[in-house]
Amino acid sequence: MITLKTAEQAAKMRAAGHLLERVMEAVCSAALPGVTTGHLNKIADQMIRDAGAVPSSYGYKGFPASICTSVNSVVVHGIPGDEPVLEGSIIGLDCTISLDGWQADMARTVAVGRISKEAERLIAVAERCFFEALAQCRVGNRLGDIGHAVQACAESEGFSVVRALCGHGIGRAMHEDPEVSNVGEAGRGMRLRPGMTLAVEPMINMGGYEVTVNGWDVKTLDGSLSAHYENTVLITHGAPEVLTMKAVGA
């Protein structure tokens, strides 16, 4: 069931989103060579709880941490641990929080120290895929327009789009209807309506789009690097609002 948020409900999600943006800024800044993913998790967990919010992933289907830390070929759902992250790696950081009963979801992929030019390009294209999708998040457009925008952007750069995973609606629950695919045909699918809130999250691979699952880890089948970029988006009567970025649409 699709839930359309009132102005008051959207305001609560905006507050959650702006808190999550601050958390993610701190975690991304701490992603330096030699840091453990467990330490990054501790930073996020403390900031979230100190602000009176709840880390939504903690305990979700048994997930043992407050953020996902996905290194190099791990697409999503990496579990934080004690292994240091090496110089030259890339790391996807994905976090969902609940504040006053309303959710916000956000992901970034960052460089750990100096990385290759191609890895830099992968991260940049994943971000650009999101903004191409964002431009389609307008009343009257369709879900297929979002997926088509991501796919066209990534494939034009020689990268591939993960097809086994997708974005989603979000609100009181972390995952709500509808599914938001990162591939698709323009002009197809459900029409977008004011009050819809969507987690739009391109997952872009340097190699093929196929993935394999090992426990929580979703990894590229060919071992290539993967980048993830996500925000929570509110569909309005005008331009879309990115609830997890104060400077975009707010």
Side-chain angles (χ1 to χ4, degrees), residues 6 22 39 47 54 60 84 93-94 101 140 150 174 193 232:
T6 66
R22 295 195 297 275
H39 179 67
M47 287 186 69
V54 175
Y60 178 76
L93 300 162
D94 187 3
V150 173
M174 177 164 50
R193 291 177 283 168
T232 301

Side-chain angles (χ1 to χ4, degrees), residues 27-41:
V27 175
C28 289
S29 295
L32 302 171
V35 73
T36 67
T37 52
H39 179 67
L40 299 178
N41 180 69

